[in-house]
Amino acid sequence: MKVTKLVEVVQTSVYNKKYSLREVFVNPDYVISLMPDSNMKTVLQEGRLPDGLDKRQEFTRVTVHKGNSGLEMVVVGNTENVRNKLFSSPSTLLKG
């Protein structure tokens, strides 16, 4: 089983809408879709993400198969970079 390390954006406080980053390990065999997430770009511009992220940073929403449903997470990186990390071969197709 191959897993890939990504950096996920996690909301740490509902009241002041602050976020943190954490490492997650994803099995690419269970990835259903990848989509750009422009909402998180706004959160970054508003200064609600941890210090040190470049203001030009992009984000990707990753949907992972989880039994009867899907699990969505937002990870750091544009869609193309995340795809390249998850799928070493450019001919690999997303299942879904």
Side-chain angles (χ1 to χ4, degrees), residues 34-51:
L34 303 172
M35 295 182 298
D37 189 309
S38 58
N39 292 334
M40 199 54 61
K41 182 88 169 164
T42 302
V43 171
L44 174 64
Q45 299 299 330
E46 293 171 351
R48 293 188 282 148
L49 288 176
D51 292 338

Side-chain angles (χ1 to χ4, degrees), residues 3-90:
V3 293
T4 303
K5 180 172 73 169
L6 300 172
V7 177
E8 180 183 18
V9 179
V10 182
Q11 188 170 0
T12 56
S13 172
V14 176
Y15 300 109
N16 61 9
K17 296 185 180 179
K18 287 286 189 178
Y19 296 82
S20 67
L21 303 176
R22 70 176 174 197
E23 291 181 345
V24 293
F25 294 87
V26 176
N27 182 339
D29 291 342
Y30 293 95
V31 173
I32 298 169
S33 67
L34 303 172
M35 295 182 298
D37 189 309
S38 58
N39 292 334
M40 199 54 61
K41 182 88 169 164
T42 302
V43 171
L44 174 64
Q45 299 299 330
E46 293 171 351
R48 293 188 282 148
L49 288 176
D51 292 338
L53 282 176
D54 189 311
K55 295 294 182 191
R56 298 170 293 178
Q57 183 64 59
E58 295 181 35
F59 302 89
T60 299
R61 183 169 300 276
V62 179
T63 305
V64 179
H65 178 61
K66 183 184 170 194
N68 293 334
S69 64
L71 168 69
E72 284 193 347
M73 65 181 82
V74 176
V75 300
V76 177
N78 69 37
T79 305
E80 186 66 24
N81 289 342
V82 172
R83 184 187 70 81
N84 289 338
K85 276 184 128 178
L86 288 167
F87 309 105
S88 56
S89 170

